Amino acid sequence: MAGNNSYTIVEYFGGDDGYRCGYCKNDKGNFSHGMWSHSMTVQDYQDLIDRGWRRSGKYVYKPIMKKTCCPQYTIRCHALNFQPSKSHKKILKKMSKYISKGDLPAAQEDGEPMDSVCEDAGPREPTKVCQSDLKVVASADIKDEIPNRSAAEEVQKNSVGSTAGSSENSQNDSASVSEGGTDAKAPNPGLGADPSRPPSRKAKDLRKERRLQKDQKRQHGAGVLPPKPAHTNQPKTLEEFINESLEDSSSDRLEVRLVPVNFEDPQFSASYQQSAALYARYQMAIHGDDPSECRESEFRRFLCDSPLEAEHSPDGPEMGYGSFHQQYWLDGRIVAVGVIDILPTCVSSVYLYYHPDFTSLSLGSYSALREIAFTRKLQKQSTKLCYYYLGFYVHSCPKMRYKGQYRPADLLCPESYTWVSVEQCIPLLNNSRYARLNQDPDAGDSQAVKDVGRALVLHKRTVMPYIVYSCKFKGRSDKAEVQEYASLVGQDCAERILLYRS
């Protein structure tokens, strides 16, 4: 996990100005609070997204839910309990068919819309801050400044107590062998089915038998006694649907690579230019961006500059925590990239871009299924890591409702910051764009600010509680801004995260 000298450092920018909404296209209807993150620990970001924040590059923003034109609710899927729907199986089968036979669906389907990026709400030029230059105010100095202020004795907190705590495509199981249309001689009356012909069997049962036979041959060759097949009525798991396509001889056409967002990583740096070119092609074809809007510098700022510091923990996933690109290679070239953050309790989807020629393969949904399977894999290494975050759910935008199909799923209540099942939320959102999702009137924000004086600030490379800062600089009139910031990040985060003060 993060070292003792690792801080989250942010500059808060408020949220007074409206900007263009990527969902309803309202020029000035989208409102959000924003802050620039110079650095961020994975635990702090986990806590922030559990309060409705989300990052775009190093810019972290939180929609002003009662004011914005299209309220955006944080959504998470319970990855361990996820079971693919019929439409999900159809998508996996479609990809499997393309991999094995090269059959690309003729009808071009609308690709799933990606999350709107609040580019127009970007921050002012951030201040340069170096962590190694930080100095923490000594406790004795605080007592001299405020002898009766016990809260100031907390100043020597200089570490974040963070406990940080896909899969190939598949065939649909709905196909079955036709039972009619045979020219065989009819059986004698009263004798039942023709004993000279084998009984009709479902295609999925035949596939299972062939797979079992292959496994038995491999095990027999290794001197292992094959186990007896277990007969069960349990539905197939997501992994079973995905792994079916691995039996096909063409399955090696598709390779999924997880690479850390780090220019010192050889795989990331070697594929960077190809990935940037794919991003530009996607943005221009799918979102209609001007070439000037998707230059390499924009790609780097948006999808490669991450504030998250790579961290490792003995009880965490083997690749560690941080920001990653999940690259989909087909026949030796990148055709899609899913940008994800691996956090203590979840895999958080950031963005997806893909080659426009493959729009009909529903790569948005396909990558989400792969990322859910990836989350389930990571959970075996880190038990707390069991959720898949799909970004924001925007009920007022019909094209964004598809995220609610990855169930079981929860939405984050914007007032109590508790999770409520999607099924309970939809009736409320059908009646109103904004809704308090937690219907318990007594449920409040457990992280409501109790003492803004304990919030940590960074001034002239010195870390101190806000109460010390306000006493040292009595002429400053920023208490309302600090109070607003602390209420948005919550009491615990305010006491860990360093708020930059010029």
Side-chain angles (χ1 to χ4, degrees), residues 135-379:
K135 180 180 71 174
V136 180
V137 176
S139 297
D141 295 338
I142 297 173
K143 291 177 180 178
D144 292 339
E145 292 284 344
I146 316 156
N148 296 323
R149 184 74 182 190
S150 60
E153 296 176 2
E154 300 283 336
V155 70
Q156 287 188 315
K157 292 181 180 180
N158 63 346
S159 67
V160 176
S162 54
T163 54
S166 197
S167 22
E168 302 294 340
N169 328 320
S170 69
Q171 298 284 347
N172 193 308
D173 67 347
S174 61
S176 61
V177 178
S178 173
E179 297 181 0
T182 176
D183 294 330
K185 182 179 178 180
N188 295 328
L191 297 181
D194 186 352
S196 65
R197 294 182 59 83
S200 176
R201 300 175 63 190
K202 290 186 176 181
K204 67 175 183 179
D205 293 331
L206 293 173
R207 290 197 300 268
K208 285 183 179 179
E209 182 175 310
R210 288 196 296 268
R211 184 165 62 250
L212 179 61
Q213 290 173 349
K214 289 181 181 179
D215 291 341
Q216 289 175 338
K217 287 181 180 179
R218 286 196 297 267
Q219 292 171 339
H220 181 70
V224 180
L225 183 65
K228 295 181 179 181
H231 297 284
T232 175
N233 293 325
Q234 293 294 324
K236 284 197 294 185
T237 65
L238 174 62
E239 289 78 6
E240 288 175 316
F241 280 110
I242 291 175
N243 288 336
E244 279 185 357
S245 64
L246 294 176
E247 298 173 7
D248 191 281
S249 59
S250 302
S251 62
D252 57 356
R253 292 181 59 198
L254 179 67
E255 180 186 1
V256 181
R257 302 178 188 173
L258 182 74
V259 296
V261 180
N262 184 348
F263 284 93
E264 295 181 0
D265 181 83
Q267 280 192 319
F268 181 80
S269 57
S271 60
Y272 176 77
Q273 291 299 330
Q274 184 181 169
S275 188
L278 178 64
Y279 166 77
R281 189 165 186 172
Y282 168 81
Q283 292 294 127
M284 289 186 287
I286 304 300
H287 292 291
D289 284 2
D290 185 84
S292 63
E293 298 178 287
C294 42
R295 294 187 296 263
E296 183 270 338
S297 59
E298 289 299 303
F299 167 70
R300 181 166 184 156
R301 178 190 65 80
F302 174 30
L303 297 175
C304 300
D305 288 345
S306 170
L308 300 184
E309 298 183 355
E311 302 179 20
H312 287 80
S313 172
D315 58 351
E318 60 183 1
M319 74 287 298
Y321 303 101
S323 298
F324 296 82
H325 283 189
Q326 197 160 43
Q327 302 173 340
Y328 296 80
W329 290 74
L330 181 63
D331 296 333
R333 63 169 178 160
I334 302 176
V335 296
V337 178
V339 183
I340 60 173
D341 293 329
I342 300 179
L343 304 175
T345 65
C346 75
V347 170
S348 175
S349 174
V350 178
Y351 202 66
L352 172 82
Y353 53 99
Y354 55 83
H355 198 293
D357 288 353
F358 300 100
T359 300
S360 62
L361 290 177
S362 305
L363 291 176
S365 294
Y366 178 74
S367 65
L369 294 171
R370 293 294 297 256
E371 288 168 6
I372 291 173
F374 179 59
T375 304
R376 290 154 67 117
K377 179 181 178 182
L378 295 186
Q379 194 274 338

Side-chain angles (χ1 to χ4, degrees), residues 38-57:
H38 294 274
S39 62
M40 186 168 287
T41 67
V42 293
Q43 184 61 55
D44 282 340
Y45 186 53
Q46 177 73 70
D47 291 342
L48 287 176
I49 63 175
D50 285 341
R51 291 185 66 83
W53 292 86
R54 180 166 167 79
R55 76 174 187 89
S56 172

